[in-house]
């Protein structure tokens, strides 16, 4: 409560009327996903459990510039699951005491839905435990909480995904705790479809296929204009700095 009170002091009073009185409780970090660590890993096989529970998969369902998140069942009974991985270096906030808010933003290049409800099929965010945040590998396919994961934000349904625009996951208390627990290193996230998160095999399609696919920009795209990014507002109270700021006025 004391930390939050001083945070509100910083944001509502000091920043607006006398910046020198800011006690340092409203630090902000914007960090982009690692260019070699982000991407997708996919698995395709004719049995849902074999696809969902596989230890490893294949890198880059599309290409290195695209992070594809998908669950598809073909008329041939082939299943394809693609999981997105997003590691962020957050060591710049190593002194954080708490995370006030956090937002994970991903730029959607294109989206596809086949024989499904756009108000039901969705994408969610949970923890990644990929082996190396700076080098995604096929063996990282299972480096998430495969069964009954704790999700870090409300899912975004297909109809709410905006193509050619950023889509934002507002992280919940579990997501913010994940960031704080890893403040000296990497906060790593996995994006998965509702089929994958719920371990639900898509019903057989009446046509060629059934499912959802979201194509997102990776950090490999030129510049950072469309890169995945993590925006964090946090507190990092330094009593000596606070006292000095107050004395200097």
């Amino acid at each position: 409560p004391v930390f939050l009170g001083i945070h509100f002091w910083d944001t509502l009073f000091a920043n607006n009327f006398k910046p020198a009185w800011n006690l340092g409780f409203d630090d902000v970090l914007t960090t982009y996903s690692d260019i070699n660590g982000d991407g997708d890993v996919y698995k395709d096989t004719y049995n849902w459990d074999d696809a969902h529970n596989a230890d490893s998969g294949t890198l880059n369902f599309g290409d290195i510039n695209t992070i594809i998140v998908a669950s598809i069942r073909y008329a041939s009974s082939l299943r394809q699951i693609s999981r997105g991985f997003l590691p962020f270096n957050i060591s710049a906030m190593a002194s954080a005491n708490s995370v006030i808010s956090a937002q994970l933003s991903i730029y959607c290049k294109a989206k596809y839905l086949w024989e499904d409800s756009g108000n039901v099929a969705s994408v969610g965010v949970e923890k990644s435990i990929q082996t190396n945040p700076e080098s995604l590998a096929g063996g990282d396919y299972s480096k998430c909480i495969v069964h009954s994961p704790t999700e870090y934000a409300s899912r975004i349904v297909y109809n709410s995904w905006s193509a050619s625009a950023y889509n934002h996951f507002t992280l919940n208390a579990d997501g913010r705790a994940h960031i704080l627990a890893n403040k000296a290193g990497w906060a790593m996230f996995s994006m998965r479809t509702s089929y994958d998160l719920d371990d639900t095999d898509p019903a057989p399609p009446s046509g060629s296929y059934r499912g959802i696919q979201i194509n997102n920009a990776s950090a490999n795209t030129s510049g950072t204009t469309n890169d995945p990014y993590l925006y964090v507002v946090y507190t990092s109270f330094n009593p000596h700095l606070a006292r000095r700021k107050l004395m200097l006025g």
Side-chain angles (χ1 to χ4, degrees):
V2 174
F3 287 159
L4 288 177
I6 301 179
H7 168 72
F8 290 133
W9 162 266
D10 282 350
T11 56
L12 296 178
F13 296 100
N15 289 354
N16 292 320
F17 301 107
K18 194 171 182 63
W21 288 355
N22 184 294
L23 300 180
F25 271 72
D26 57 342
D27 294 314
V28 172
L29 172 68
T30 299
T31 180
Y32 298 94
S33 58
D34 187 82
I35 192 170
N36 296 311
D38 76 359
D40 62 76
V41 185
Y42 76 95
K43 183 71 176 180
D44 54 5
T45 182
Y46 286 91
N47 178 278
W48 172 262
D49 286 340
D50 289 344
H52 183 266
N53 302 333
D55 289 331
S56 62
T58 304
L59 278 176
N60 302 325
F61 188 34
D63 60 76
I64 63 172
N65 296 320
T66 305
I67 301 173
I68 294 180
V69 181
S71 292
I72 306 168
R73 178 169 178 167
Y74 292 79
S76 65
S77 292
L78 180 71
R79 277 77 156 181
Q80 288 183 329
I81 299 175
S82 184
R83 296 168 178 165
F85 292 86
L86 298 165
F88 299 91
N89 187 330
I90 60 169
S91 58
M93 56 175 285
S95 62
N97 298 113
S98 66
V99 173
I100 302 300
S101 64
Q103 181 174 274
L104 175 59
S105 299
I106 187 88
Y107 187 90
C108 175
K109 299 166 70 174
K111 63 178 188 175
Y112 308 94
L113 188 72
W114 304 278
E115 296 187 21
D116 210 335
S117 169
N119 289 318
V120 176
S122 60
V123 171
V125 173
E126 56 119 344
K127 179 193 295 186
S128 160
I129 49 175
Q130 67 187 83
T131 304
N132 184 346
E134 296 177 282
S135 180
L136 187 64
D140 290 320
Y141 178 77
S142 60
K143 297 299 190 296
C144 53
I145 309 305
V146 176
H147 300 284
S148 303
T150 296
E151 296 182 46
Y152 288 162
S154 297
R155 298 179 186 181
I156 301 178
V157 298
Y158 177 86
N159 284 349
S160 295
W161 274 91
S162 299
S164 301
Y166 270 105
N167 296 265
H168 308 285
F169 290 97
T170 299
L171 300 191
N172 57 26
D174 290 314
R176 298 192 300 273
H178 174 62
I179 291 173
L180 188 62
N182 294 281
K183 64 183 182 180
W186 294 82
M188 301 187 293
F189 300 89
S190 174
M191 287 198 306
R192 300 165 63 191
T193 71
S194 48
Y195 284 114
D196 187 11
L197 289 165
D198 298 335
D199 194 7
T200 301
D201 189 7
S206 58
S208 298
Y209 25 71
R210 181 191 304 274
I212 179 175
Q213 178 173 320
I214 307 292
N215 294 5
N216 307 290
S218 76
N220 279 280
T221 51
S222 180
T224 59
T225 303
N226 297 330
D227 284 7
Y229 69 89
L230 181 66
Y231 177 83
V232 185
V233 179
Y234 63 97
T235 66
S236 55
F237 180 60
N238 183 327
H240 302 294
L241 178 61
R243 184 167 57 251
R244 186 168 185 270
K245 283 185 175 184
L246 287 173
M247 290 176 64
L248 291 176

